Each structure stands twice: as structure tokens, then as C-alpha cells.
Amino acid sequence: MEDGKFIRPYNSIGLEDYLKGVVPAEMPALWNQEALKAQAVAARTYAMSYINRTPDDTMSYQVYGGYTWHENSTKAVKATEGQVIGYGEKLHIGSDALFSSSNGGKTESNKNVWVGPELPYLMVKEDPYDPQAVWSFSVKKQQIDLTNLDLTKADTWWANTKETEQTPVISNIRAWLQKNGYTGKDIKITAVPHLSLHALTSGGRVSKGSITIEFIVKEKGKALQQSVILEDVTASKIRDIIGLSFMKSFLVDKVDTARDVINVSGKGYGHGVGLSQYGAKKAGEKGNTYHEILAFYYEGTSLKQAYEPEPEEVEPVKPDPAPVIPTPIPTPVPDPAPKDETAPAIKDIKTYYDSKTNQVKITFDTNEKAKVTVEVKDEKEQIIASLVKGDQKPSGSQLAIWDASKVSNGSYSFEVRAIDSSNNASSASVPFSLTKPDTAAPVIKNTNTSYDSKTNKVFLKYEINEKSKVIVQVKDAKGKIQATPINNAEKNAGVQWTSWNVSKVSNGKYSFEIATIDRNQNKSSATVPFTLTKPDTTAPSINHIKTSYDSKTSKVDLKYDINERAKVTVQVKDAKGKILVTLTNNAEKNAGIQSASWNVTKESNGKYTFTITAIDPSKNKRTTTTSYTLNKPAAKNLTGKVNATKLNVRSKPSTSGKVLGSLKKNQIVTVITKSSSWYKIQYGKGTGYVHANYLTNVR
């Protein structure tokens, strides 16, 4: 009776009959006799190490198929009966008679696979007989994209969400997790982001490896993110996780992780120490005897006779109807304690928000003593708090507290990591939605205004810290509403933009009035002043032009309006366009009524033009003309009396002028004008000049 639950049957059998069940289970029974003989001798030698012990029927000892004997393999066992592999004075090498399916073309040293000294008959060497069978496996780095999955509501998608690859490799990884800390857990593999195999032995085989497994565990309707990180563990550990049928040996040719798929390839099947079964087959086919085959794979050894063959063939021992339980059962020799390569389990994770203390509490269990780290991350995966920093914690319930008083509501995650004394690491990620009662008004910040001359719009930029309904109005300097760009629109937290079309608005001082109301009716407002200064592209206006003639001063007065400050030039042109006079020359004038006057004393009646040019500070220019007809009244003629006996009349107002004739004393003449000391008078049908000293009573 075993464990008080079931009966364990034992098969008590002689060594040679035992080998008749081992050889066809370890090597195909139809292979050539020399290969089968080599296998029989190696199996017999190996079995000598557990005489008087109780082996099982698995690879832990040798695969034993029971009474499924085969004629061809039985023949090989009989032909080698009692023969074992010896070395020096040793009758047999016992459990050092190692063998594997294929060494991939190169044998491996026992020291590179197991602890202990290197044996001279199990050295590294090239194998010309092994067919070097290749193997490969692949696994996609990402298996499930969690981006659009609500981890707090796993029941809504769990059943319909599967790994990208429904392959035995993924199944093996999942099964390994369930055997190592996650027994009975519903697990999905989300990613295998890292796999490496390294630390080559002298036989060219990998001895170390690292792997990261990310997965989710469903607990109470939530999907908890977790990971197992194994760094520099034995390559056999990695092989256990992937599966012996896929990573068939440690003779790895390539590990390609450059893309989104990890590809691993290699040669051989098994540890590669000692006899290669496929190599023995090939050697036998080439004519080598089993003596030569064994001498090659166990170099320096010799065949020895452990016991003499039975004189007569013994019929197979038939099992009794009932199992025979030997008494007493030999006590098995315990194997050395295996190295701990199992990562700590993190489970039963719970979170709770305490509104009184404004704290979030996280509790979880660990199954062994470990150094624990607990961090809080925001939506951008940035660490915002470290609650536990690698503290040594005993196995059992753990507690960490996060002060959330200065943190906004939103989505966060707790990242829990545990590292045991053997440096096995595991981690778990737990999403948490923080929802504190809202008593704070929305914050309006980072306001800014800018004018775009191309679109003739003013842009307002601002930021709000939470989702709110927003009103934005534009007011002028007197507080009058000019526009409402946003009218009670719901806006999410973040940067906001709005614009105001100012194409029909004058330059001046304005303000944007921003009002916000959050979902809890908390209100806030902000005023953003803005001075509108659109570039001037309009030329000055020149209006209300008027002209008038003043006969007393003999001047023409010009009046006009300009609508803005400008530099003004006013000119008078005759009928032929010739400039006669410039009344105002590039003079700075303010907006309003302007004036200029033109002395026309010496001008003849006729048509003239006033040209007014105004240039504003933006270099916008306008020129306006107005016509004017000069019509001065005829001047009253003056007369004078000659007081000289004889007064010469000359052609010009000078004594050098030609004498045109002369006047008598007391003669009355018509005076036209006076120029300095000369009078211009009417003389005959023309005019002439006389000296002013010789005319009296000119009036």
C-alpha cells in the first residue's frame, strides 16, 4: 500500500530478461544487430549500477517496455549475455555507460552536463557516424495584445481571447507555470519577449539560458498581469519549459530574436554524452562491429564478462496473476537536492481605496521568503511612487500603502516584483482605477493668444485639468460681448483651442472670458486680455475737399479731411500739369480737418488742379485731385501825374532800357503796377516804364 491510497505493483525479474524489455524500448528493434548489441551492452552496464535497487520504467533509469520483447533485439541481448563495459581494473563503468538518441555530430563530456570529474572515456570528440539530425522551434514574442482589453472586466472577453499561437510550445509554457506556483490557475500567455541560450561548453552546447514569460491570471473577474523572469538558469530548465520534443538537445546552432518571432535551431536529440544510438546504427551499417562501436564511444574501455551466460535458454518469466510485493523493499538512494529554479508566486492581489485617509492599500500573498518591490505606475508606465523597495519579506500576506492625496483620478497599476534567495524572479501587474470624490474646480492654465494675419483670426489656447463643459466669450474694452466661440461644449482634459474671426473688427483691447463647469458642478473662470493689432493695409481717406478765393488777401484757401495720421503733400498744377507751387511738403498731419492757402496775386485767371497725397505709417498711399478755376475780379486802374519837364518812357524798369518816347509835365498816365522804384504804365497801345520819382498823385 502506497500513501494509504493505492497498491504499487513491482516486477521482480532477472537482468537479462529486463534487458530484453529495455533494448527495444530504447532503440528500434529492427535496426542492425551490431547497433542493437552495442545498445544491449551499454544498457547492461548501466543497469549494473542499480542492482539490488528498485528502478522505475522511465528515462530516470532506462525505458523499460515490460514483456514487449522483439525477436531481433532479444537476439542481440543473448549474443552479448553478461558482457559489460569495463575500464582499467573496474569490471564495469556502471551508470557512466551513458547514451542518447543523437549527439548532432559531436559527443559531449560528462562534466559539462553533470557535476563531477571529467571521465577519460566520456570526452568531447567529433562523431563521423551521427547523422546530425536538425531540429527547430519558434514562438512569437507577442501572443495577446492587451491594449484594448479591460483587465478589470476579464469575464467579458476571456473566453474568446486566445494566444496568437495555439501550439504545443505555448501549451508547454502554460503547463510549466501551472506546475510552478500557479497550480489550478486559469492562465493565458501574453508574451515571450525574451529568450536566450548561451555559455557554451567545450562540446559546443549551451549550458545557460534566460527567458521572460508574461502572462495574465484570471481571478475574481479580473485579469492580473504577471511575469516570470529567469536569468542565467540551466539550459535544462529552459528545455523543460519549452518541451523536450521541441528543444531536442543543447547543441544549439542559432537563436534569432531580431524580429517579432524567436527562432531557435540546433542538432541532435538528448544530452550527447556517450553512445549515439543513431551513430551506432550508421556505424553498424558501415560494417563496424559492436566492439568497435563501443570502443569509439567509450574510448579506452574494454568489454568484460560480468557473469557467464546461462547454459540453456530461459523462457520469459510470466507475471503472476497478482502483483508480487517484495519484502523488504529496498530504500531508494535519494538524488541530490535540485537547485531551486522556481520563481516566487504572487497571488490573491487586492486593492482598496480609503476615502478617509486618501490612501490606496494593496494586499497580496507570496509563497516563500523573498525580496519584494512594489511600485505605482501611471497610464504612461511612468513610476510615480515606490511603496516597497526590495525589502526582505517572509512568505504570507503582504501590505503596501499608497498616499493618493496629491494624485489625480485616473488609471494606474501596481507593479509587484519578488526575488527569492536563488535569484528567481517573478512579477505581477494589477490595474487600479482611482476615483476620489471631486470637490475641486477645474483648473484653467497655460492660456495664450495669437493673431494669424493670413486667416485674420485670433487663436486662444488654454488647458483644463479635467473633463468639463466650457464657455468662451470675447468682450471689448467696455465689457460688451463681441462673440461666443464656444458655447457650453463638453471638453476633455488637456489642451484646448478656439478662434475668433476679426476680419470686421477694429484694432483695440479685448478679452477672452473662459468659464468651466465639471461633472460635479464645480466652476472656475479665467480672463485672458488681448490687444488686437491687425496690420494696416488701407490707404488714408481724403474727404470733404473745399476751395475758396479771398479777394482781400488774393489767396485761394483749400480745406480737406484725412481719417488717420499721415504725411501730406499738397501741390498746385496749371492746365498743362506743370507744378506751380507746393503748399505742403511731406508734413506730418494728424487725423482731422486740414488746410492750405495759395497766393494768387501774380497768377492769371484760369484752370488749376490741387493734388493732395497722404502716406500713413504703414506706407499706404492715397492721392486725390480737385480742379479749381481761378477767376479774380479785374483790378481798378491807377493814375499818376508827371512832375518833370520831360519824362522818358523806357522798355524795361531800368535806365538802361530803350527809350520808347517821352511825357510832358502835368500829363496824366495810367499806372498798371509798381516794381521797386519804377511804375509800369499804359503807353500808346502798349506799356512802358517810368521812374517813380517823376509821378505824383498816383491813386
Side-chain angles (χ1 to χ4, degrees), residues 603-679:
E603 303 297 339
S604 303
N605 289 342
K607 291 184 177 181
Y608 298 88
T609 301
F610 287 95
T611 300
I612 307 169
T613 300
I615 303 174
D616 67 15
S618 298
K619 306 300 182 183
N620 300 304
K621 178 180 178 181
R622 187 181 298 279
T623 298
T624 300
T625 61
T626 185
S627 299
Y628 177 73
T629 301
L630 179 61
N631 188 15
K632 297 186 291 182
K636 183 180 179 181
N637 290 332
L638 300 177
T639 60
K641 184 178 180 181
V642 178
N643 63 2
T645 303
K646 181 181 179 182
L647 179 60
N648 290 328
V649 179
R650 297 182 180 275
S651 60
K652 59 182 181 180
S654 172
T655 55
S656 62
K658 181 181 178 181
V659 176
L660 300 177
S662 62
L663 300 174
K664 295 178 180 180
K665 188 176 181 176
N666 295 324
Q667 187 175 341
I668 302 300
V669 296
T670 299
V671 177
I672 298 173
T673 60
K674 184 180 182 182
S675 176
S676 186
S677 58
W678 293 82
Y679 282 117

Side-chain angles (χ1 to χ4, degrees), residues 236-304:
S236 60
K237 184 75 170 181
I238 303 297
R239 192 177 178 212
D240 287 343
I241 295 171
I242 298 299
L244 305 186
S245 298
F246 298 95
M247 185 177 169
K248 294 184 177 182
S249 74
F250 302 107
L251 192 58
V252 177
D253 291 330
K254 186 176 182 181
V255 180
D256 183 2
T257 62
R259 299 177 180 83
D260 58 355
V261 177
I262 299 172
N263 293 296
V264 183
S265 59
K267 296 191 293 287
Y269 197 166
H271 50 67
V273 181
L275 175 75
S276 165
Q277 293 170 321
Y278 273 90
K281 175 178 181 289
K282 190 70 174 179
E285 291 172 350
K286 286 181 173 290
N288 290 279
T289 66
Y290 75 97
H291 297 81
E292 294 170 326
I293 294 172
L294 293 172
F296 174 79
Y297 286 108
Y298 305 100
E299 190 171 349
T301 63
S302 61
L303 288 181
K304 295 187 178 183

Side-chain angles (χ1 to χ4, degrees), residues 309-444:
E310 292 289 336
E312 296 180 3
E313 184 174 338
V314 180
E315 290 294 327
V317 178
K318 301 297 182 181
D320 295 331
V324 176
I325 303 175
T327 305
I329 300 174
T331 302
V333 178
D335 293 329
K339 178 184 176 183
D340 178 15
E341 294 181 346
T342 302
I346 304 168
K347 54 187 178 180
D348 297 331
I349 304 175
K350 298 176 182 177
T351 56
Y352 167 73
Y353 171 68
D354 186 345
S355 59
K356 293 181 180 179
T357 62
N358 219 346
Q359 294 176 334
V360 179
K361 298 178 181 179
I362 175 173
T363 61
F364 56 94
D365 290 346
T366 53
N367 67 335
E368 61 176 308
K369 185 178 180 180
K371 289 183 178 180
V372 175
T373 298
V374 181
E375 296 171 334
V376 184
K377 293 184 178 180
D378 60 17
E379 287 181 314
K380 297 180 180 179
E381 292 295 309
Q382 299 296 313
I383 298 172
I384 61 173
S386 294
L387 310 182
V388 182
K389 301 179 180 179
D391 298 345
Q392 190 77 47
K393 299 288 184 180
S395 63
S397 297
Q398 313 295 336
L399 169 67
I401 299 175
W402 175 37
D403 181 2
S405 59
K406 297 181 180 180
V407 181
S408 302
N409 288 344
S411 296
Y412 299 88
S413 64
F414 288 95
E415 303 290 330
V416 184
R417 296 191 296 277
I419 303 175
D420 65 15
S421 58
S422 298
N423 285 325
N424 300 307
S426 63
S427 65
S429 178
V430 184
F432 178 75
S433 180
L434 180 61
T435 309
K436 299 187 291 184
D438 183 13
T439 58
V443 176
I444 305 168

